[in-house]
Amino acid sequence: MKARAFAPGHVTGFFVAREHEDPLKTGSCGAGLSLDDGVYTEVTLLPDGETRVLLNGVESEATTTRTLIDLLTDQPVLVNSRLSVPIGGGLGASAAGAMSTALALNQLLGLERTFNELCYAAHLAEVASGTGLGDVSGMSNGGVEIRLQPGTPFALDRIPTAPDYIYYVHFGPISTKGVLSDEQEKKLISLAGERCLKALLKKPTFEEFMRLSRKFAVDTGLISRRALDAVETAEAAGGLASMAMLGDTVFSTTADGLSEFGAVRRSRINLTGPVLVGDACQRDFFNMS
Amino acid sequence: MKARAFAPGHVTGFFVAREHEDPLKTGSCGAGLSLDDGVYTEVTLLPDGETRVLLNGVESEATTTRTLIDLLTDQPVLVNSRLSVPIGGGLGASAAGAMSTALALNQLLGLERTFNELCYAAHLAEVASGTGLGDVSGMSNGGVEIRLQPGTPFALDRIPTAPDYIYYVHFGPISTKGVLSDEQEKKLISLAGERCLKALLKKPTFEEFMRLSRKFAVDTGLISRRALDAVETAEAAGGLASMAMLGDTVFSTTADGLSEFGAVRRSRINLTGPVLVGDACQRDFFNMS
């Protein structure tokens, strides 16, 4: 008895955060993109004992995923997640971990929830754990999304043109929790985010999304010195780049010049959103080395 | 100068139609699924003259696609659509033709519309042409969708569990326009559709979707004798099946026994919704024989 699901990684380019006494109304609007790099999760029933969560084979706290499980079931389960995005890199790892777990749990335990109900549970788990505000909404349909409203119900639009691939370099973790806890900074970020959202809706192209993301990262002061160096290097090579919000990761339309900053990964832009992984799936992600 | 896009075919299992003086509020709720069988469209600029639409290489009226083009541009274009779903088979061919054209036109002419704006234009074209009410909404995110509201803005949920493949047999065309023009029949259909929608939201599983679709097709009397024969044959083989609304096509979880009713096609359930086809796409759909 097991079930498997995938959820895409997610890069936020810019955002407007909203806190609300109702955690379902808490969230962010803004824009971002989903990645085929993400999280594959296999969930197995445990006959008894405590729920266990393995991230890349290592027993982990995984607060967001544990919160999600508590929202859906009392049954002890073994969650085995394989991540192809770094943890704490601003690539939506916690959201993808929770969302893939939600889909797999729904299948395994016959919970009979709709897709949106599972998304909202994963979103609640993110909000409760302080690990993110817009990643679940942003990844839920894949593509390059525009998040029109914070929180639930998700209100999404999409940029219909995008390259097939995105390159990214991760320098090291930033605590999302830390950055989001400064009130004054949040207000400045929101104002910058609102300007970007308005501008993107006027000109909803991929180039404009990249340009506005870079402007947001610089205007808010959220970009690190090293990330700005990498962004400028990509731009000198003719690319468009910015920093993933919120993580010390640069995403770019080109790999040129980026290898001096670290290991460059290439990912397809994900077009499916979170999905169950059927037995027909050719690749066995859980036996990968 | 050309651009290419794909839009999935779409099967409606059951529906509730709503007409409204505002065509954007006209549409249907209900449930259905998207298919990797669909329409690939290439749009090319014409220097002058009249817009031309080719369906599988044959110059065609293609009312819905022409209406869509008129909504987006005055520029004469050549639209070359390759369909892997039958026309008039209740498989959303007109919606997929219009939606793939909308995405390609947006790219080719730099129209700078969002994905939703392009969907709404294709939906308007469907409503104005009388060729469909829910196919554009239904296919817009792929998967097995629940359409919660008729018309725009689209309000979608999804069934998170589904098989990878669906089989279908097409017997012959039904005019969607004809069936939808009888007022009394529409009222009975709506009542049956509302019951199905309520039941599906209580138990949002793929099996329940198939079961309710079959019940809807029978209760409304929309199912043809031949289609019911095929449905019962699939069921005798252990499958779940119903008739695509509105077309003389049976869709099924099994191919067993269906070949006596005609050519059985197998399609993956589409998970992407409508997408641009980049240069990186390996398959050249427009040179296919």
Side-chain angles (χ1 to χ4, degrees):
Chain A
M1 284 292 287
K2 55 189 173 185
R4 294 167 174 187
F6 166 78
H10 180 257
V11 173
T12 290
F14 59 84
F15 65 93
V16 183
R18 178 176 74 176
E19 285 185 60
H20 194 283
E21 56 186 27
D22 179 356
L24 277 172
K25 297 284 171 204
T26 299
S28 71
C29 45
L33 56 85
S34 295
L35 300 174
D36 271 358
D37 281 2
V39 180
Y40 281 88
T41 293
E42 179 177 274
V43 180
T44 318
L45 276 181
L46 291 177
D48 48 40
E50 297 283 306
T51 283
R52 298 173 58 204
V53 182
L54 306 182
L55 302 184
N56 293 332
V58 179
E59 189 112 22
S60 303
E61 199 179 357
T63 319
T64 310
T65 292
R66 283 179 192 273
T67 305
L68 176 279
I69 295 167
D70 289 344
L71 286 170
L72 294 180
T73 183
D74 296 327
Q75 170 75 40
V77 289
L78 171 63
V79 173
N80 184 0
S81 290
R82 291 274 170 190
L83 292 79
S84 50
V85 285
I87 296 171
L91 291 155
S94 60
M99 189 63 211
S100 55
T101 302
L103 276 170
L105 264 185
N106 182 66
Q107 171 80 343
L108 182 69
L109 302 176
L111 300 179
E112 298 183 355
R113 308 292 178 101
T114 70
F115 180 80
N116 288 358
E117 287 166 355
L118 297 173
C119 286
Y120 298 168
H123 176 73
L124 274 184
E126 278 262 278
V127 170
S129 309
T131 47
L133 290 171
D135 285 324
V136 178
S137 169
M139 75 159 81
S140 63
N141 289 335
V144 185
E145 97 283 354
I146 308 174
R147 303 194 305 282
L148 302 166
Q149 300 279 351
T152 65
F154 297 160
L156 293 160
D157 202 344
R158 226 176 291 176
I159 290 175
T161 66
D164 290 322
Y165 293 100
I166 281 290
Y167 301 87
Y168 63 94
V169 183
H170 174 56
F171 308 128
I174 284 183
S175 163
T176 304
K177 219 163 176 171
V179 175
L180 286 180
S181 66
D182 182 313
E183 281 304 321
Q184 181 137 22
E185 195 171 14
K186 272 200 283 191
K187 198 168 283 180
L188 290 169
I189 291 169
S190 286
L191 287 170
E194 278 163 18
R195 281 196 301 271
C196 288
L197 187 53
K198 211 172 279 182
L200 186 60
L201 286 169
K202 272 196 192 141
K203 191 179 166 72
T205 66
F206 184 75
E207 293 67 28
E208 188 72 354
F209 162 71
M210 293 299 293
R211 199 187 67 74
L212 289 167
S213 296
R214 182 210 203 278
K215 185 172 158 49
F216 178 86
V218 172
D219 288 357
T220 55
L222 285 169
I223 200 164
S224 66
R225 184 63 244 171
R226 190 166 41 168
L228 187 56
D229 282 351
V231 166
E232 287 172 344
T233 301
E235 288 169 346
L240 294 163
S242 188
M243 193 178 101
M245 297 292 144
L246 300 156
D248 215 1
T249 297
V250 162
F251 64 106
S252 169
T253 57
T254 180
D256 292 354
L258 289 182
S259 61
E260 62 179 282
F261 296 92
V264 182
R265 283 194 60 101
R266 182 178 85 146
S267 172
R268 270 192 183 273
I269 292 185
N270 173 270
L271 298 174
T272 63
V275 286
L276 279 171
V277 177
D279 293 334
C281 188
Q282 295 302 308
R283 299 175 288 177
D284 192 351
F285 296 94
F286 301 93
N287 294 330
M288 69 191 182
S289 58
Chain B
M1 284 290 288
K2 57 186 171 189
R4 294 168 176 186
F6 166 78
H10 179 257
V11 173
T12 290
F14 59 84
F15 65 94
V16 183
R18 178 175 75 177
E19 284 185 60
H20 195 282
E21 57 186 24
D22 179 356
L24 277 171
K25 298 283 171 205
T26 299
S28 70
C29 46
L33 56 85
S34 295
L35 300 174
D36 272 359
D37 280 2
V39 180
Y40 281 86
T41 294
E42 179 178 275
V43 180
T44 321
L45 277 180
L46 291 177
D48 48 41
E50 297 283 309
T51 283
R52 299 174 57 205
V53 181
L54 306 183
L55 302 185
N56 292 333
V58 179
E59 190 113 20
S60 304
E61 199 180 356
T63 319
T64 311
T65 292
R66 284 179 193 273
T67 305
L68 176 278
I69 296 168
D70 289 344
L71 286 170
L72 294 179
T73 184
D74 296 328
Q75 170 77 39
V77 289
L78 171 62
V79 173
N80 184 1
S81 289
R82 291 272 171 192
L83 292 79
S84 50
V85 284
I87 296 171
L91 291 155
S94 61
M99 190 63 213
S100 55
T101 301
L103 276 170
L105 264 184
N106 181 66
Q107 171 80 339
L108 183 70
L109 303 176
L111 300 179
E112 298 183 354
R113 306 292 178 101
T114 69
F115 180 79
N116 288 357
E117 287 166 356
L118 297 173
C119 286
Y120 298 167
H123 176 73
L124 274 184
E126 279 260 278
V127 170
S129 308
T131 46
L133 290 172
D135 286 325
V136 178
S137 170
M139 73 159 84
S140 62
N141 289 336
V144 185
E145 98 282 354
I146 308 173
R147 304 194 305 283
L148 302 167
Q149 300 278 351
T152 66
F154 296 160
L156 292 161
D157 202 341
R158 224 176 294 174
I159 290 175
T161 66
D164 291 322
Y165 294 100
I166 280 291
Y167 301 87
Y168 63 94
V169 183
H170 173 55
F171 309 127
I174 286 184
S175 163
T176 303
K177 221 165 176 170
V179 176
L180 287 179
S181 65
D182 182 312
E183 281 305 320
Q184 182 137 21
E185 195 171 12
K186 271 198 286 191
K187 197 168 283 179
L188 290 170
I189 292 170
S190 286
L191 286 171
E194 278 163 19
R195 280 197 301 272
C196 289
L197 187 53
K198 211 172 279 180
L200 187 60
L201 286 168
K202 272 197 194 141
K203 191 179 166 71
T205 66
F206 184 73
E207 293 67 28
E208 186 73 353
F209 162 71
M210 293 298 294
R211 199 187 67 76
L212 290 167
S213 296
R214 183 212 202 275
K215 183 172 160 49
F216 178 85
V218 172
D219 288 357
T220 56
L222 284 169
I223 200 164
S224 66
R225 184 63 244 171
R226 191 167 40 169
L228 187 56
D229 282 350
V231 166
E232 287 172 346
T233 302
E235 288 169 345
L240 294 163
S242 188
M243 193 179 99
M245 296 292 141
L246 298 160
D248 214 2
T249 297
V250 162
F251 63 106
S252 170
T253 57
T254 180
D256 292 353
L258 290 182
S259 60
E260 60 179 284
F261 297 92
V264 182
R265 283 195 60 101
R266 183 178 85 147
S267 172
R268 268 191 183 274
I269 292 185
N270 173 270
L271 297 175
T272 64
V275 286
L276 280 171
V277 177
D279 294 334
C281 187
Q282 296 302 307
R283 300 176 287 177
D284 192 350
F285 297 93
F286 300 95
N287 294 330
M288 68 191 182
S289 56

